[in-house]
Amino acid sequence: MTSVGVLGATGAVGQRFIQLLDGHPEFELSVLTASPESAGKRYREAAKWRLDTPIPEDVAEVEVRDTDPDEIPDDTDLLFSALPSSVGERVEPALCEAGFVVSSNSSNDRAADDVPLVIPEVNADHLDLIDVQRDERGWDGALVKNPNCSTITMVPTLAALRQFGLERVHVSTLQAVSGAGYSGVTSMEIIDNAVPHIGGEEAKMETESRKLLGEFADSEVSWHDASVSASCNRIPTLDGHLENVFVETREEPTPEEVAEAFEDAPTLDLPSAPNQLVHVFEEPDRPQPRLDRMLGGGMAVAAGGIQETDTGIQYNCLAHNTIRGAAGASLLNGELLASEGWV
């Protein structure tokens, strides 16, 4: 078994990591870290558990450590990071310098030239940037990122459409409140309302998608040259980001060809990978967050409403934002790292 730890284990994404790692066939959770205020407490005392399954019994009594390289045992093979970016930008490089491999959901360093930003079914070859990273930074460890929750919902569908020549992408998101964390959006702000602004989200979608779709060659990633524009909105659903996507391509695929491309999206033989990456619905009112966010155990993408427009193709897509869009994405990256010998 591979010994793993969770950084920032008491927060919403950290809790989701613990839920997903419970009973994992390859990873054994041995280390939990959090803020100094939580360090020294048993996990059940440090974390206000908010998920719909109980805290795993073997985790509840684990003592939480401070998030510090000196506090993490040297024999920990892989660390999953749910740290806030303000902490991650300081702690993650120190951990990598100390020899740890970190699979991170934190937003810091996603655009860095030598940091792999990875969706395993889309751009697994970008992991080869680790060699560049180690050479340039002198690290024995490694830092790998997954994209943000709205980007990871859309990009698997865009990757399927690259064969038609992606030129322009316009997306409007309807994002669940869990994407902001438990205390991120107050009830008075979101009930009976929609908020047409999520700070920094649009820029993340517009840049991260192009890096993910880019090609790795000659020790660098050449970002895809498609233009991407995004409008991001918060709505009062708990989980599941729904996105309305408009795509312009050099070729003119029919809706049937687009649906076939989605259904042919590659899958991987990894424990957390869904059997089918993109599920296509023919019903015009699907996908919907409440009905479809748990497809593939929350790791699949749902698509529907595919139709032609005057400029190209329009469709809707959906994914579970704290599973596929956060902890599950980092977990899948960790499985890929292990399968390819980086761990």
Side-chain angles (χ1 to χ4, degrees):
M1 296 287 282
T2 300
S3 175
V4 305
V6 175
L7 312 174
T10 58
V13 175
Q15 292 182 24
R16 188 68 80 177
F17 270 121
I18 289 168
Q19 182 189 57
L20 295 175
L21 285 165
D22 186 31
H24 194 280
E26 298 177 2
F27 295 157
E28 182 178 8
L29 181 58
S30 57
V31 178
L32 304 174
T33 83
S35 65
E37 291 75 21
S38 297
K41 298 179 181 178
R42 294 181 301 169
Y43 185 72
R44 71 163 69 250
E45 299 168 342
K48 188 170 184 179
W49 190 258
R50 302 189 185 279
L51 299 183
D52 55 3
T53 57
I55 301 175
E57 290 185 8
D58 58 343
V59 174
E61 301 302 319
V62 172
E63 183 177 319
V64 176
R65 302 168 183 258
D66 192 8
T67 306
D68 185 291
D70 294 335
E71 294 292 321
I72 299 173
D74 292 338
D75 60 356
T76 308
D77 300 304
L78 177 63
L79 295 171
F80 294 108
S81 175
L83 296 172
S85 59
S86 58
V87 178
E89 64 185 6
R90 171 178 52 85
V91 173
E92 290 175 352
L95 289 164
C96 296
E97 188 174 1
F100 295 103
V101 176
V102 180
S103 177
S104 173
N105 180 67
S106 180
S107 63
N108 54 286
D109 291 318
R110 285 180 184 157
D113 291 340
D114 63 345
V115 174
L117 180 69
V118 176
I119 300 174
E121 298 95 337
V122 173
N123 64 329
D125 61 318
H126 288 201
L127 283 186
D128 288 340
L129 274 176
I130 291 174
D131 285 330
V132 178
Q133 183 185 99
R134 287 173 170 172
D135 287 343
E136 292 185 350
R137 304 196 186 204
W139 289 349
D140 293 323
L143 179 62
V144 175
K145 296 284 178 174
N146 55 266
N148 106 311
C149 50
S150 53
T151 303
I152 206 170
T153 299
M154 175 179 70
V155 166
T157 63
L158 297 182
L161 299 180
R162 280 183 295 191
Q163 60 186 292
F164 303 116
L166 283 176
E167 292 187 334
R168 295 179 187 82
V169 179
H170 308 273
V171 58
S172 180
T173 71
L174 305 169
Q175 297 183 217
V177 293
S178 59
Y182 186 81
S183 59
V185 183
T186 66
S187 59
M188 288 291 289
E189 182 180 7
I190 198 63
I191 292 174
D192 189 33
N193 201 21
V195 182
H197 174 74
I198 303 174
E201 196 84 355
E202 292 161 355
K204 291 174 186 176
M205 293 195 75
E206 293 165 359
T207 56
E208 292 176 12
S209 57
R210 295 180 56 231
K211 183 177 181 181
L212 288 158
L213 294 169
E215 294 186 4
F216 177 79
D218 299 325
S219 301
E220 64 179 9
V221 173
S222 299
W223 291 24
H224 199 286
D225 58 5
S227 65
V228 181
S229 57
S231 171
C232 296
N233 309 273
R234 189 76 70 192
I235 63 169
T237 51
L238 290 178
D239 296 302
H241 288 353
L242 177 63
E243 301 179 0
N244 312 128
V245 187
F246 300 79
V247 177
E248 299 177 34
T249 58
R250 287 192 297 275
E251 299 180 22
E252 298 181 0
T254 65
E256 292 75 20
E257 289 172 326
V258 169
E260 183 178 359
F262 288 166
E263 291 173 338
D264 289 342
T267 57
L268 297 174
D269 186 20
L270 295 172
S272 297
N275 292 329
Q276 184 172 345
L277 177 57
V278 182
H279 292 252
V280 177
F281 289 92
E282 295 183 359
E283 297 92 332
D285 61 348
R286 301 285 288 276
Q288 296 178 22
R290 193 171 61 191
L291 299 178
D292 303 315
R293 58 194 171 207
M294 288 305 297
L295 284 170
M299 289 294 287
V301 176
I306 304 169
Q307 56 187 305
E308 292 178 276
T309 71
D310 290 341
T311 57
I313 290 290
Q314 191 271 325
Y315 61 91
N316 308 313
C317 59
L318 169 81
H320 195 299
N321 54 292
T322 65
I323 301 180
R324 184 75 213 206
S330 292
L331 178 58
L332 192 61
N333 279 350
E335 293 169 355
L336 180 65
L337 285 161
S339 71
E340 296 199 355
W342 295 104
V343 174

